[in-house]
Amino acid sequence: MKMMLKSWLASWKYPSILLFGMGVANIGSWIYFIALNLIVLDLTQSALAVSALYLLRPLATLVTNVWAGSLIDRMNKRHLMIFLDLLRAILIALLPLSSSLWYIYSLVFMINMAGSVFGPAAGTYMTILIPERQRQRFNSLNSLIGSGAFMVGPAIAGMLFVVGSPSFAIYINAAALFISGLVTILMPNIEKDRFAGNTKTRITWEMLKQDWIAVIQFYRRSAYIWLVCFLFSCVMVVMASAVDSLEAAFAKVVLQLSERDYGILVSIAGAGIIAGASMNTLIVKKVNISLMIGLGTLGVCLGYLVYAFSTSFVVAAAGFFVLAFFLAFANTGFYTFYQNNIPVEIMGRVGSMNGLIEAILIMLTTVVMGVAADVVSIKAVVIVGVLFMFMLGAILSAFVLQSSRNDYFKMNSES
């Protein structure tokens, strides 16, 4: 028993350190997100100026992800993650130094660019570091930590606003990213030998062209993997983002909720996320990956349907809780599927291409639904959007729950 415990602790040493670093960064990002919104609102007194912050992330992704994958797959991921954490910490610390709106937008754009590179780099590093038998458990714990950050981050931000200011909260986030970078230094340099001879990576148009061809050829050979990735992105990222962009307007205009009631609604969603993520960590090794994706996605879509057709606070709250509850199951299942089926040699490029396509679709869908909401009505647009989302979710579930595709969702027992 003692030897088994020692072996288990050894196998989870680095994953635990990684989860800690990611947890600190996640909490900091929520503090930064809320504080930045308040700084821009106080500076401009304009909701449009705040809304512009939400467009900077997909715009940064469009600019970055064309070449980011080529860089990630040719560099030491641990070194790149450390550099990006420290770079973002410095850029965030510079934010409160000027009250110029364009200064803030420029820095936020660069921070988002660094984040667009960090995501695929961290995903690839995690896949290399975490053995296949541990990935499902690791992903469930990562979802739980992310859920905790969703609840803890805003609460900490609120306390910081009481004792300090939004600028002080921004500095706290810079410190959190700095700590995350230091924690990453403690992680093993698993690509030390692979990139030992690389002094610098020069990106050329020919290289980019060949890399994009390599990703397209992989997806052509693995059409089923592409289909699952594409449908999951459309349901859980694109349509969810577009519907969420109308969330506040739907709550106030359609449901006629006060700001206090809307705040409670968001808190109920947070409770649903915590409940779902906690349940997920308990049963994760007993549920097949395909079932987690299929039923998790349908559960999220069902929650959105209840919310879209709601006419009262209670029904909307039930919808929020249901969709939030199933998020962890869907995400854990999909991330495990992704890590098990995408070769690590091209994972940076695949992740960057996926992110680029997502960013384009998010911008198009959000604009279309926003314009349609003004022309028709918010409720009608949300209902149509959610029905389309549910249809895509049902198609995805049908594909992943096919018994003939079980080889893509095999689970290895955890030691």
Side-chain angles (χ1 to χ4, degrees):
M1 178 66 72
K2 187 176 179 180
M3 289 298 294
M4 288 178 61
L5 178 62
K6 189 175 180 180
S7 174
W8 185 87
L9 290 173
S11 67
W12 278 94
K13 174 185 174 182
Y14 289 120
S16 298
I17 294 173
L18 185 59
L19 286 169
F20 172 76
M22 293 168 65
V24 170
N26 278 338
I27 292 173
S29 66
W30 276 105
I31 297 171
Y32 159 79
F33 176 76
I34 295 170
L36 183 62
N37 278 262
L38 289 177
I39 287 174
V40 172
L41 186 61
D42 290 343
L43 182 66
T44 63
Q45 302 299 315
S46 168
L48 182 61
V50 176
S51 299
L53 290 171
Y54 291 80
L55 289 176
L56 291 176
R57 183 185 293 273
L59 282 174
T61 301
L62 290 178
V63 172
T64 307
N65 282 34
V66 173
W67 51 265
S70 299
L71 181 73
I72 292 165
D73 286 335
R74 291 176 174 85
M75 284 191 67
N76 186 302
K77 259 65 79 181
R78 172 177 168 271
H79 292 168
L80 185 58
M81 289 165 64
I82 294 168
F83 169 76
L84 291 171
D85 266 342
L86 298 181
L87 175 63
R88 287 187 293 170
I90 293 170
L91 292 174
I92 287 171
L94 293 174
L95 273 173
L97 300 183
S98 174
S99 59
S100 167
L101 186 62
W102 291 109
Y103 170 85
I104 293 173
Y105 282 164
S106 299
L107 282 180
V108 171
F109 185 76
M110 288 188 285
I111 292 164
N112 286 333
M113 284 183 66
S116 294
V117 180
F118 184 88
T124 306
Y125 180 81
M126 282 187 282
T127 304
I128 299 171
L129 176 72
I130 310 298
E132 188 174 338
R133 67 181 184 277
Q134 290 180 311
R135 287 174 187 165
Q136 201 169 348
R137 172 70 68 187
F138 179 88
N139 289 331
S140 70
L141 291 171
N142 192 23
S143 292
L144 180 61
I145 288 172
S147 304
F150 175 83
M151 295 294 287
V152 174
I156 293 176
M159 289 187 290
L160 290 173
F161 298 157
V162 172
V163 301
S165 65
S167 294
F168 177 63
I170 289 287
Y171 288 128
I172 293 296
N173 178 235
L177 280 171
F178 184 76
I179 292 171
S180 178
L182 294 181
V183 168
T184 307
I185 293 175
L186 302 176
M187 300 301 296
N189 189 6
I190 48 183
E191 296 179 300
K192 183 178 180 180
D193 296 331
R194 183 183 176 193
F195 296 103
N198 286 12
T199 55
K200 63 179 181 179
T201 301
R202 184 168 173 265
I203 304 297
T204 64
W205 284 111
E206 184 60 30
M207 178 191 293
L208 292 177
K209 178 182 175 183
Q210 293 303 317
D211 285 347
W212 278 72
I213 289 173
V215 175
I216 293 170
Q217 287 176 340
F218 167 74
Y219 272 146
R220 279 180 176 173
R221 294 192 305 269
S222 311
Y224 181 77
I225 297 173
W226 173 84
L227 189 63
V228 172
C229 290
F230 180 73
L231 286 173
F232 188 87
S233 292
C234 286
V235 176
M236 302 296 293
V237 181
V238 177
M239 292 308 302
S241 297
V243 172
D244 288 348
S245 69
L246 297 173
E247 178 187 293
F250 185 91
K252 289 188 175 184
V253 176
V254 178
L255 300 179
Q256 297 184 337
L257 301 182
S258 65
E259 290 188 4
R260 174 182 170 277
D261 289 340
Y262 178 60
I264 295 173
L265 205 61
V266 174
S267 297
I268 290 171
I273 290 174
I274 293 291
S278 300
M279 177 69 73
N280 183 38
T281 58
L282 295 175
I283 67 172
V284 65
K285 297 304 297 182
K286 301 175 183 177
V287 182
N288 191 278
I289 297 170
S290 60
L291 205 60
M292 295 184 81
I293 299 173
L295 296 187
T297 302
L298 283 179
V300 172
C301 292
L302 178 63
Y304 270 105
L305 271 178
V306 174
Y307 155 71
F309 283 96
S310 64
T311 55
S312 67
F313 171 84
V314 174
V315 179
F320 264 50
F321 186 88
V322 170
L323 73 89
F325 181 87
F326 283 99
L327 272 174
F329 296 95
N331 286 332
T332 297
F334 175 74
Y335 291 143
T336 306
F337 166 84
Y338 183 86
Q339 291 167 338
N340 290 349
N341 289 285
I342 305 293
V344 292
E345 296 81 12
I346 62 169
M347 190 170 280
R349 281 165 281 179
V350 170
S352 292
M353 177 183 275
N354 291 351
L356 181 64
I357 295 170
E358 280 179 3
I360 294 171
L361 291 177
I362 286 171
M363 293 182 71
L364 289 175
T365 310
T366 302
V367 169
V368 169
M369 288 187 66
V371 172
D374 278 342
V375 175
V376 188
S377 73
I378 295 173
K379 186 175 181 67
V381 170
V382 168
I383 288 175
V384 171
V386 169
L387 286 173
F388 183 65
M389 180 183 183
F390 188 85
M391 181 188 72
L392 292 176
I395 294 172
L396 171 62
S397 297
F399 274 109
V400 299
L401 294 175
Q402 289 177 341
S403 58
S404 60
R405 304 292 187 174
N406 283 343
D407 286 347
Y408 291 97
F409 304 95
K410 281 183 178 177
M411 295 193 302
N412 290 303
S413 59
E414 183 177 357
S415 61

